[in-house]
């Protein structure tokens, strides 16, 4: 593999802004201090807060590979922390996403804006599962990625103010379909919108309107918003 598949890129574009917003919400809820994890018990604890987690996979820094939890001989698909994530592999089989079905994914080619290609696989996988977000838990030689599957982790609320920033950050990671990225974020929050020539228009809850503008190549170029006090 010398690049992500088109199916993975499209899924990532659809989920990226939703995931980034949820990650910000998780960061406010879960302290990033000294941590401990018991994957058999499916627990992760940090700063006095303990949450239920599942194991997505791990990224090996030296080899620059992603290893799914179900392919790791220490775990396997029947491990308590892995079983809840198997929906990702089934989705990959159904939609033809090799990144979700290949046991160990070679990411040595990746030179993009993320810290490493494994971060993007964790983003897409976490987006498929929804829930509270994902955690990168560093260890000597790499990072394990855990999905937060716990009702006490709050969902990201709708907020129109950071939308352009979220969209720009998401598109920097998954750049191929910015309109899809925004449309999926709006749909996630059940915000009505309509697509017109070169733009997406939406009426904001509580009052106000916004427009996202795209150029002839579909790239996001501008955001206009008129927010009423109730929408802020």
């Amino acid at each position: 593999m010398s690049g992500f598949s088109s199916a993975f890129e499209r899924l990532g574009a659809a989920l990226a802004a939703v995931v980034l917003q949820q990650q910000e919400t998780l960061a406010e809820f879960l302290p990033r201090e000294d941590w401990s994890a018991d994957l058999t018990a499916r627990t992760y604890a940090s700063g006095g807060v303990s949450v239920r987690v599942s194991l997505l996979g791990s990224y090996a820094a030296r080899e620059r590979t992603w290893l799914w939890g179900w392919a790791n001989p220490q775990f396997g698909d029947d491990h308590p922390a892995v079983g809840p994530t198997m929906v990702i592999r089934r989705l990959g089989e159904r939609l033809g996403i090799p990144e979700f079905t290949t046991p160990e994914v070679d990411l040595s080619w990746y030179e993009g804006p993320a810290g490493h290609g494994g971060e993007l696989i964790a983003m897409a996988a976490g987006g498929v599962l929804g829930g509270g977000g994902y955690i990168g838990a560093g260890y000597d030689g790499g990072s394990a990625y855990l999905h937060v599957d716990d009702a006490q982790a709050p969902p990201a609320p709708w907020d129109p103010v950071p939308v352009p920033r979220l969209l720009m950050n998401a598109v920097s990671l998954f750049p191929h379909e910015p309109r899809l990225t925004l449309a999926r974020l709006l749909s996630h929050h059940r915000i009505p919108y309509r697509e017109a020539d070169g733009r997406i228009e939406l009426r904001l809850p509580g009052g106000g309107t916004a427009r996202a503008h795209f150029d002839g190549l579909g790239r996001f170029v501008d955001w206009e918003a008129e927010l009423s006090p109730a929408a802020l």
Side-chain angles (χ1 to χ4, degrees), residues 37 46-47 52 67 74 86 94 100 132 135 146 160 177 183 212 215:
S46 177
R52 184 176 65 178
L67 181 67
Q74 297 183 54
M86 294 306 295
R94 188 168 75 250
F100 285 177
I135 301 165
L146 311 174
E177 299 187 58
D215 66 14

Side-chain angles (χ1 to χ4, degrees), residues 144-156:
Y145 284 86
L146 311 174
H147 175 251
V148 179
D149 177 21
D150 195 316
Q152 68 174 311

Side-chain angles (χ1 to χ4, degrees), residues 9 39-40 44 53 56 77 94 104 116 122 155-156 159 163 171 187 189 194 197 202 212 219 222 224:
E9 290 279 11
L39 292 182
T40 300
Y44 173 94
V53 295
L56 297 171
D77 56 15
R94 188 168 75 250
E104 187 171 17
H116 52 73
D159 182 353
V163 167
V171 168
S187 297
H189 289 289
R194 71 182 187 92
D197 185 25
L202 54 146
R219 296 172 297 195
D222 192 27
E224 296 178 284

Side-chain angles (χ1 to χ4, degrees), residues 46-205:
S46 177
V49 178
S50 179
V51 292
R52 184 176 65 178
V53 295
S54 301
L55 174 65
L56 297 171
S58 57
Y59 179 80
R62 185 179 67 180
E63 295 82 359
R64 300 181 70 186
T65 57
W66 170 272
L67 181 67
W68 286 102
W70 50 263
N72 190 321
Q74 297 183 54
F75 299 100
D77 56 15
D78 60 350
H79 189 277
V82 175
T85 73
M86 294 306 295
V87 64
I88 300 168
R89 188 170 76 178
R90 292 193 292 271
L91 180 71
E93 292 168 349
R94 188 168 75 250
L95 299 182
I97 304 174
E99 291 83 357
F100 285 177
T101 59
T102 303
E104 187 171 17
V105 184
D106 177 15
L107 296 168
S108 59
W109 55 268
Y110 182 77
E111 299 294 343
H116 52 73
E119 187 76 24
L120 298 186
I121 293 182
M123 280 185 64
V128 167
L129 295 177
Y134 67 89
I135 301 165
Y139 61 85
D140 187 22
S143 294
Y145 284 86
L146 311 174
H147 175 251
V148 179
D149 177 21
D150 195 316
Q152 68 174 311
W158 165 252
D159 182 353
V161 174
V163 167
R165 174 180 56 80
L166 286 169
L167 181 56
M168 291 179 65
N169 290 344
V171 168
S172 74
L173 299 173
F174 289 96
H176 295 289
E177 299 187 58
R179 294 173 72 114
L180 174 62
T181 303
L182 177 57
R184 182 64 183 85
L185 178 65
L186 297 175
S187 297
H188 176 75
H189 289 289
R190 299 183 178 181
I191 304 300
Y193 68 91
R194 71 182 187 92
E195 297 196 44
D197 185 25
R199 64 187 185 274
I200 291 179
E201 302 177 345
L202 54 146
R203 186 169 296 278
L204 301 172

